Amino acid sequence: EAQHRRATRIITHLIANYHYKRTPLNDSLSERILDRYLEVLDPTKSYLTAADVEEFSEHATRFDDYLRYSDLQIAFDIFVRYRERLESRIENAIALLDYEFDFSRDESFQFDREDAVWASSDAELNELWRKRVKNDLLALELAGDDFKEAKKKLTQRYQGISRRKAQLDSEDVFQTFINAYTTSIDPHTAYFS
């Protein structure tokens, strides 16, 4: 939107000229911006695939140019892809609740995925989500819920994730992207709409 273009011009001007940390808006910073943006959108690496990230990485050294010219289209394109992937994953997770899980099977679920690599395929993400749903079901059953109650709670939880992301508007996406930019310069510099 026009207001986002104006705000981008002002923000980049202020940071370039008045921020205490003189950080040039260049290719190196561009790469950090993309990394930070993806980290904020998908911190558990549970929605996007390595192919998605590779496609976005084609723009990795151009975010400085996009910001300089207030061209935010790529930020919105990345967000749209993220939301599409999220919707697909949530739909699959809810469908998995009808699956008969074998809790005697010896397997593990990596709960903290901050340092994990991006899934190389949809099949790998499907397996990650199968384990996540199984883990969530087991946790609720161990807490005292029967299968029917656990399934209902998880359906509501997963639908809530989807609903919250669907409520994000262009201002939220803009703020997320600009904060990826500002926190790439300094973790204490943030944009508030």
Side-chain angles (χ1 to χ4, degrees), residues 50-112:
D52 292 323
V53 174
E54 186 176 327
E55 181 183 333
F56 304 147
S57 294
E58 293 173 9
H59 299 268
T61 59
R62 295 197 301 256
F63 280 90
D64 56 331
D65 302 319
Y66 297 146
L67 284 164
R68 204 171 279 115
Y69 297 107
S70 301
D71 180 2
L72 305 173
Q73 188 60 51
I74 187 65
F76 286 89
D77 291 345
I78 290 171
F79 181 80
V80 167
R81 174 81 56 83
Y82 160 72
R83 188 154 50 190
E84 288 169 356
R85 297 291 192 248
L86 181 137
E87 290 299 323
S88 174
R89 289 290 134 217
I90 295 300
E91 188 177 298
N92 289 341
I94 292 170
L96 282 170
L97 292 171
D98 292 328
Y99 183 76
E100 290 284 329
F101 289 102
D102 178 4
F103 291 108
S104 65
R105 186 173 163 193
D106 186 20
E107 60 185 350
S108 62
F109 171 67
Q110 183 182 359
F111 199 76
D112 179 6

Side-chain angles (χ1 to χ4, degrees), residues 36 63 82 102 104 114 118 127 177:
R36 181 80 49 150
F63 280 90
Y82 160 72
D102 178 4
S104 65
E114 181 180 342
W118 296 99
E127 179 62 8
F177 177 69

Side-chain angles (χ1 to χ4, degrees), residues 33-58:
I33 293 167
L34 175 61
D35 290 344
R36 181 80 49 150
Y37 189 50
L38 294 175
E39 181 182 305
V40 170
L41 291 179
D42 191 359
T44 60
K45 298 180 176 100
S46 300
Y47 303 103
L48 297 170
T49 64
D52 292 323
V53 174
E54 186 176 327
E55 181 183 333
F56 304 147
S57 294
E58 293 173 9

